[in-house]
Amino acid sequence: MSQKVAVLGTGKIGEALLSGMIRGGWAPADLLVTARRPERAEELRARHGVTPVSNTEAAKGADTLILTVKPQDMGALLDELAPHVPADRLIISGAAGIPTSFFEERLAEGTPVVRVMTNTPALVDEAMSVISPGSHATEEHVATAEEIFGAVGQTLRVPESQQDACTALSGSGPAYFFYLVEAMTDAGILLGLPRDKAHELIVQSAIGAATMLRDSGEHPVKLRENVTSPAGTTINAIRELENHGVRAALIAALEAARDRSRELASGKKD
């Protein structure tokens, strides 16, 4: 991994990416970081051996720039970077909702941009990162993005037109599962279980179910049917989920997340 990579705006996801890259074979000396607070930058240096730099220094010194700032801060960052980014730099954006054209219009003509939506399981090397090339990105640029984000989980290429849907489904997806676990834990307490035992039961059930979905090759309907005995406990629970419109609520929630991703692309903040 001889190229230099800079992570700009290194928060939790950026740090998870850094640590994953180091485990994957990148030399810390080839990794640059920027952070809003100097003490945060020094913390990253002490923890990972990477080099803190300014945004301008990163633009001049790195072969690949990974931009992990919040969507609402991306315009100001690009204004700062634009005079210093040569057209041969690879730009990888991790900002929800912002299309590659937003970067291409503000940077030198021909600058390759790759859009990536990852999620918080990057913190435990189980991320799902969805990758889309901009109009100037080559196969080599996309492969570089896959190599970087493959260090913290799985990657999937999609057309950029599907990115907002992927943001709703996968980028925000872990929060839906945490919400479900929270609700099921409360139900366990209502049914008479201590919180810690309810939590342990649910978490292991979730891990087991996810592993079956990944490894069995079976459709989720088939897996659900295998648990659902005639006139049994499971079918009674599922009937209540359907009566309360849980399926419809999930669909509506994901549509709302997709719509918000589109609003972020248009610059709407509220």
Side-chain angles (χ1 to χ4, degrees):
M1 324 299 183
S2 59
Q3 65 167 298
K4 284 194 176 292
V5 177
V7 180
L8 282 69
T10 312
K12 288 184 178 179
I13 292 293
E15 184 175 5
L17 191 57
L18 281 173
S19 62
M21 291 171 68
I22 292 169
R23 290 191 300 276
W26 270 266
D30 290 332
L31 300 177
L32 310 177
V33 297
T34 77
R36 182 171 294 179
R37 296 179 293 106
E39 57 271 27
R40 169 62 173 165
E42 287 305 315
E43 178 183 289
L44 292 167
R45 184 206 297 271
R47 187 175 296 157
H48 303 290
V50 296
T51 304
V53 294
S54 68
N55 290 331
T56 299
E57 290 170 330
K60 293 177 179 178
D63 302 292
T64 298
L65 305 178
I66 305 173
L67 313 185
T68 62
V69 301
K70 295 178 180 179
Q72 57 267 34
D73 296 329
M74 192 63 76
L77 176 61
L78 291 178
D79 289 342
E80 181 182 358
L81 294 178
H84 310 287
V85 178
D88 62 351
R89 293 288 190 269
L90 171 58
I91 305 298
I92 298 177
S93 166
I98 301 182
T100 55
S101 59
F102 181 90
F103 300 86
E104 293 167 348
E105 291 166 359
R106 289 162 174 78
L107 299 172
E109 177 65 28
T111 300
V113 181
V114 175
R115 179 175 171 183
V116 180
M117 171 48 59
T118 192
N119 57 18
T120 56
L123 296 166
V124 292
D125 292 347
E126 291 291 350
M128 184 71 250
S129 300
V130 183
I131 297 176
S132 302
S135 59
H136 305 300
T138 66
E139 171 64 26
E140 182 179 358
H141 295 131
V142 177
T144 296
E146 288 177 329
E147 185 176 15
I148 290 171
F149 282 85
V152 292
Q154 302 297 313
T155 64
L156 178 69
R157 295 190 195 189
V158 302
E160 189 169 11
S161 61
Q162 295 177 2
Q163 273 280 354
D164 290 323
C166 291
T167 296
L169 197 64
S170 178
S172 300
Y176 314 145
F177 289 101
F178 298 148
Y179 182 88
L180 179 61
V181 168
E182 179 187 1
M184 291 178 69
T185 301
D186 287 344
I189 294 168
L190 180 66
L191 296 175
L193 291 170
R195 177 175 293 276
D196 60 340
K197 288 185 170 57
H199 179 79
E200 184 176 356
L201 287 166
I202 295 160
V203 170
Q204 183 55 41
S205 295
I207 292 169
T211 302
M212 290 177 70
L213 279 168
R214 184 190 63 193
D215 296 345
S216 70
E218 296 281 4
H219 193 281
V221 170
K222 175 64 175 175
L223 293 174
R224 177 178 60 77
E225 288 175 346
N226 289 343
V227 189
T228 309
S229 304
T233 59
T234 306
I235 192 62
N236 272 273
I238 290 172
R239 180 188 62 186
E240 288 303 310
L241 292 173
E242 294 292 350
N243 287 342
H244 286 81
V246 171
R247 186 187 303 265
L250 282 171
I251 293 171
L254 266 67
E255 287 179 330
R258 178 209 56 198
D259 293 346
R260 180 55 180 155
S261 182
R262 291 174 176 173
E263 289 173 355
L264 289 171
S266 69
K268 185 176 181 180
K269 296 182 179 180
D270 298 318

